[in-house]
Amino acid sequence: MSPTSFRRMKARFSVVFVFCFFLTTGVYGDTFTVLQAPDFVSFQKGDWPVSGEKIPDLVALTMGFSVQEDLSWSGLRSGSLFRRPSANVLLVVRGVDSLVLPQSVASYPLENPVPFTLDNVAETVHSLFAEDTPVVLQLAPSEERLYMLGKANAVFEDLPVTLQQIRARLSQDGSVLASLPLNSLSRNSEADLLFLSEVQVLHDITALLQRHRHLAKDHSPDLYSLELSGLEELSRLYGEDSPQYRDATAILASVLQKFGEEVYGLYGNNAVVEVVTVKMFEAPLTRKSRSILQSSQTKNEDPYNRAYKYRADYAVVFNIVLWLMIILAIAVIVISYNLWNMDPGYDSIIYRMTNQKIRMD
């Protein structure tokens, strides 16, 4: 075999090897990026894929809550038992597989991009901190393009929800239209307005938190789940090679970076900010919406009068109460026994001083 043929065969073998390597290892375009995180929430840098259906459990673990199944993922180490983040902000961006975010803690490939919700985490927050005022703000696209889901503090009542409200907000003073470089984006296109309205909502959330800083200083953790679909509409209308899509991607990357830094600073560097970029979900998401100011959720009574299901932390609470009662009972028995067998003349300082005074008299 000639040297030239050998080099050609070697080059072909290298190309085939690289191609097979990518096929076997798996190339996931969608990403899960941690923008901000405190020191005690330890995210390890590495190429560990995270499943989309495990993201709610991952958010619960970062907030210090327990999950039903153990999360066998090497990207997150066990943190402190006595400290929890003051807030967790999850941003889901649809229509793009990755964003250029220059400052981030860690980034991981996302596999199995199925739709997910943080409803279970929100219910955990409200059940554990019912007496406080936790902020649980969830934003998701619907037929009205934007709507609020879940409980939220009364501070967010004035936050624009529908597309018509946000259009009016964009025409008011202090809107993002005056500060953003629109370039190829138009104010007359519905898809462009949807993208700009989502940017406006992010700006309004940070503005409300700056005016009401007491929300970030209470003892209850806050949860923000924001799903943005403006890029997905732009890709459908203009295409991914269009200048509108490229300009919107650059704008959103800078806006998300600034949003994460502002929220992280408002919570005293004690918040976790994550960004999930998904090109397209594998299945549609169906969910039941609730009012933004709904204070309680009615539960269906069991017609058979059966007992409610035990929660995952039932065994922990039961053991804490059981052994605490046993220790208190033993302490009461020991104290009562010592008091019963006490000699007042020698063991009590009161009787001892009384006896000395009587003898002196």
Side-chain angles (χ1 to χ4, degrees):
M1 182 181 294
S2 63
T4 305
S5 302
F6 179 78
R7 285 195 297 269
R8 290 178 181 177
M9 183 178 296
K10 184 178 180 181
R12 292 176 182 177
F13 177 78
S14 301
V15 172
V16 174
F17 175 78
V18 172
F19 180 74
C20 294
F21 174 79
F22 279 108
L23 287 180
T24 54
T25 56
V27 179
Y28 307 104
D30 304 330
T31 57
F32 173 79
T33 305
V34 182
L35 277 182
Q36 302 288 343
D39 296 335
F40 55 88
V41 181
S42 180
F43 284 95
Q44 304 299 312
K45 293 184 179 180
D47 192 14
W48 295 297
V50 56
S51 178
E53 59 186 5
K54 296 297 182 180
I55 289 181
D57 293 340
L58 181 60
V59 172
L61 290 176
T62 56
M63 299 185 69
F65 302 145
S66 59
V67 295
Q68 295 182 355
E69 298 181 359
D70 294 336
L71 183 62
S72 58
W73 185 60
S74 303
L76 178 64
R77 286 186 178 180
S78 58
S80 175
L81 297 176
F82 305 100
R83 300 180 64 184
R84 73 168 73 240
S86 300
N88 189 291
V89 182
L90 180 64
L91 302 167
V92 180
V93 181
R94 293 167 48 182
V96 62
D97 52 4
S98 62
L99 290 173
V100 181
L101 301 171
Q103 297 179 359
S104 61
V105 177
S107 182
Y108 310 97
L110 181 68
E111 62 179 359
N112 191 20
V114 296
F116 59 88
T117 64
L118 301 183
D119 293 341
N120 293 333
V121 184
E123 293 296 334
T124 303
V125 171
H126 283 292
S127 61
L128 296 179
F129 302 91
E131 298 180 358
D132 299 327
T133 57
V135 177
V136 178
L137 189 60
Q138 301 188 52
L139 177 66
S142 67
E143 295 180 356
E144 295 181 353
R145 296 306 180 104
L146 297 173
Y147 73 99
M148 288 304 202
L149 179 68
K151 299 178 182 178
N153 196 279
V155 173
F156 297 93
E157 287 183 4
D158 298 332
L159 193 67
V161 178
T162 62
L163 185 60
Q164 290 76 14
Q165 294 175 352
I166 300 178
R167 281 181 178 176
R169 176 68 183 90
L170 290 174
S171 61
Q172 298 175 0
D173 296 335
S175 65
V176 296
L177 296 180
S179 58
L180 289 179
L182 299 182
N183 296 332
S184 59
L185 298 177
S186 175
R187 303 185 182 186
N188 300 322
S189 176
E190 183 179 354
D192 298 0
L193 286 177
L194 172 61
F195 170 76
L196 295 174
S197 64
E198 293 175 346
V199 176
Q200 182 66 51
V201 170
L202 295 178
H203 177 269
D204 290 343
I205 290 175
T206 54
L208 288 173
L209 288 176
Q210 289 177 356
R211 291 199 299 266
H212 303 275
R213 293 179 177 267
H214 65 278
L215 296 176
K217 297 180 180 180
D218 55 3
H219 300 287
S220 58
D222 300 336
L223 179 65
Y224 299 85
S225 176
L226 310 175
E227 186 174 334
L228 310 178
S229 60
L231 285 180
E232 188 177 23
E233 294 293 332
L234 292 177
S235 63
R236 292 176 181 175
L237 182 62
Y238 302 111
E240 297 181 3
D241 297 331
S242 62
Q244 292 88 349
Y245 183 81
R246 291 196 298 267
D247 294 339
T249 303
I251 291 174
L252 186 60
S254 62
V255 168
L256 291 181
Q257 189 76 55
K258 182 180 178 182
F259 177 79
E261 294 175 356
E262 291 180 352
V263 172
Y264 186 69
L266 287 171
Y267 280 92
N269 299 340
N270 192 21
V272 180
V273 183
E274 303 115 340
V275 177
V276 175
T277 55
V278 179
K279 190 69 175 180
M280 182 180 297
F281 282 121
E282 294 182 355
L285 176 63
T286 58
R287 61 194 302 174
K288 183 179 179 181
S289 63
R290 295 180 297 173
S291 174
I292 184 175
L293 298 177
Q294 183 179 355
S295 59
S296 62
Q297 186 177 10
T298 59
K299 297 182 179 180
N300 296 327
E301 297 182 357
D302 191 353
Y304 302 104
N305 196 22
R306 292 176 295 186
Y308 60 89
K309 295 182 179 180
Y310 292 136
R311 297 180 55 180
D313 55 352
Y314 174 79
V316 178
V317 177
F318 178 80
N319 279 275
I320 292 175
V321 175
L322 174 63
W323 292 108
L324 182 61
M325 296 301 295
I326 291 176
I327 293 173
L328 291 178
I330 294 175
V332 170
I333 292 173
V334 172
I335 294 173
S336 302
Y337 177 80
N338 291 330
L339 289 175
W340 182 265
N341 295 278
M342 183 179 65
D343 188 355
Y346 294 97
D347 298 334
S348 177
I349 190 173
I350 299 176
Y351 287 98
R352 188 179 304 170
M353 294 298 294
T354 306
N355 292 337
Q356 290 178 359
K357 186 176 182 182
I358 293 175
R359 292 173 184 175
M360 291 178 62
D361 293 341

